Amino acid sequence: MRTILEMLSGGDFVSGEAMSKELGISRAAVWKKIAQLKEQGWQIEAGGKRGYRLQAGDSLEPALWVGKLTTRQLGRGEVRYLQETTSTNTEVKQMGVQGAPHGSLCISELQTAGKGRLGRQWISLPGVGLWQSVLLRPDLAPQDAPLVTLCAALAMARAVDEVTGLNARIKWPNDVILNGHKLCGILLEVSMDPDRIESIVVGVGLNVRKGAYPEELADKATCLEECGALPLRRDLLVHYLQALEDAVDALERHGLPGIAEEYRRRSCTLGSRVHVVGAVDLIGTAEDIDETGALLVRTDDGALHRVLSGDVSVRGVMGYV
Ligand code: BTN
């Protein structure tokens, strides 16, 4: 049975009568519950005969979005919504150790020790972004774990496009890019033993409103608001979870070919001049990804290099000129 918050989550007026029928309680009892919600801080407008309408703003409160989920499993396990935590990845890793099922997740308004790739920190202020991690227990061999990172980037790019109508691209392996600037970073943490993946924590940091990223990153980062879109974060989340579930399903069923076509189409790395900084330092043209998800870069001497990790700058994207 839906709660009153779930019934009001559509943002339209719902009559007291409809609520009393669905909940099997009197109109007076509905009124009492509405009064309690108001006391908890929810802004609920009373519209006479039309009933009640929730002004939920951009809240990520699960009651406002779980009813909109279209997934089979993602978002349907344990769901933790916090005002503050160190890192949603750390939170979900702990949930995994305690046995939380595939599809469990954590969202936090504020992260006090948000983690970025390559040991960097990820600034995550309240209300301006979607700071979220999901627990996957995929049916994949350990060597396929890096491919899940490509799924996550694909899923977020697709979700952004579906919700905003913009055209998000992917910088290998998993930065989501809009207008040549980084919109979303993704951090995977994998627990595995030699022959099976125990769990994967997929953390996404999506910049939504102005103020989401620090001023000094202005030449590299962007947010949806700067790109002319200001969707509800819960809509982005619902679309992202569906897209991630679809991409991981496709990977489990068909391996990399299940996601490669869309990944290649959305890539701003493939076909571009790139500068790779990491275990190797090279400049060349990114030609393709191989079946392990590694980037294949051809240097000007004709040699083909497999890049497994590291920082890849793409000419014309995020300040590499
Ligand atoms: C990157 O450096 O590009 C990856 C950034 C990943 C940030 C997200 S925010 C939610 C989740 N929790 C973390 O501590 N990090 C990821």
Side-chain angles (χ1 to χ4, degrees):
M1 186 196 293
R2 295 190 301 165
T3 62
I4 289 197
L5 270 184
E6 283 167 359
M7 287 181 227
L8 292 174
S9 65
D12 299 325
F13 278 105
V14 181
S15 72
E17 190 185 345
M19 288 191 242
S20 83
K21 257 194 194 149
E22 182 161 345
L23 293 171
I25 57 177
S26 68
R27 296 280 294 274
V30 168
W31 184 85
K32 222 172 173 180
K33 281 185 185 286
I34 298 269
Q36 277 166 1
L37 286 170
K38 281 183 172 169
E39 263 165 40
Q40 289 163 18
W42 291 99
Q43 293 199 5
I44 298 174
E45 181 190 343
K49 278 198 180 123
R50 287 178 298 168
Y52 302 94
R53 182 163 69 175
L54 178 66
Q55 280 151 5
D58 193 23
S59 171
L60 285 165
E61 175 71 41
L64 299 178
W65 54 264
V66 283
K68 299 195 169 124
L69 282 175
T70 46
T71 51
R72 275 180 295 107
Q73 291 171 303
L74 298 201
R76 301 199 183 268
E78 190 182 326
V79 171
R80 221 173 253 187
Y81 172 51
L82 305 171
Q83 289 307 307
E84 176 178 335
T85 185
T86 51
S87 151
T88 56
N89 266 33
T90 307
E91 202 68 56
V92 167
K93 223 192 288 178
Q94 282 162 2
M95 288 160 67
V97 169
Q98 287 156 8
H102 175 79
S104 296
L105 63 83
C106 175
I107 311 165
S108 183
E109 286 294 347
L110 166 70
Q111 294 186 116
T112 53
K115 295 185 277 188
R117 284 180 67 226
L118 309 172
R120 297 177 185 135
Q121 64 163 339
W122 186 266
I123 305 288
S124 333
L125 299 175
V128 288
L130 179 63
W131 323 127
Q132 183 267 354
S133 304
V134 60
L135 180 76
L136 300 180
R137 297 189 186 280
D139 184 14
L140 291 169
Q143 67 269 20
D144 290 335
L147 298 176
V148 177
T149 219
L150 308 186
C151 290
L154 194 68
M156 186 52 88
R158 199 191 290 171
V160 166
D161 286 11
E162 285 172 355
V163 176
T164 67
L166 295 168
N167 180 20
R169 315 286 309 274
I170 302 168
K171 184 170 87 68
W172 184 90
N174 60 10
D175 286 342
V176 179
I177 304 291
L178 263 182
N179 297 344
H181 290 64
K182 178 161 166 171
L183 177 74
C184 173
I186 295 174
L187 179 69
L188 257 71
E189 297 188 62
V190 184
S191 313
M192 59 182 160
D193 53 37
D195 46 35
R196 70 178 258 286
I197 294 174
E198 210 270 313
S199 65
I200 303 183
V201 176
V202 182
V204 291
L206 175 71
N207 300 329
V208 178
R209 288 174 184 265
K210 288 181 184 160
Y213 59 83
E215 198 51 46
E216 62 269 24
L217 294 180
D219 57 335
K220 290 193 161 69
T222 191
C223 64
L224 286 174
E225 188 175 11
E226 277 167 3
C227 299
L230 202 45
L232 294 175
R233 293 175 300 166
R234 53 184 182 273
D235 289 345
L236 291 159
L237 175 67
V238 163
H239 281 252
Y240 164 70
L241 291 173
Q242 180 63 62
L244 182 61
E245 184 165 282
D246 290 344
V248 173
D249 277 357
L251 184 64
E252 285 176 337
R253 268 192 235 136
H254 310 289
L256 184 65
I259 58 163
E261 192 273 322
E262 186 178 349
Y263 185 88
R264 288 195 178 100
R265 183 159 43 82
R266 290 188 177 277
S267 174
C268 59
T269 306
L270 300 179
S272 302
R273 292 291 285 177
V274 294
H275 182 184
V276 182
V277 183
V280 288
D281 189 324
L282 49 92
I283 291 184
T285 303
E287 288 198 341
D288 204 355
I289 43 170
D290 73 8
E291 67 289 348
T292 68
L295 186 67
L296 302 176
V297 178
R298 177 119 21 217
T299 41
D300 294 341
D301 60 3
L304 195 62
H305 303 259
R306 266 187 86 222
V307 179
L308 295 168
S309 64
D311 251 358
V312 175
S313 318
V314 177
R315 177 157 285 174
V317 177
M318 286 166 65
Y320 171 42
V321 282

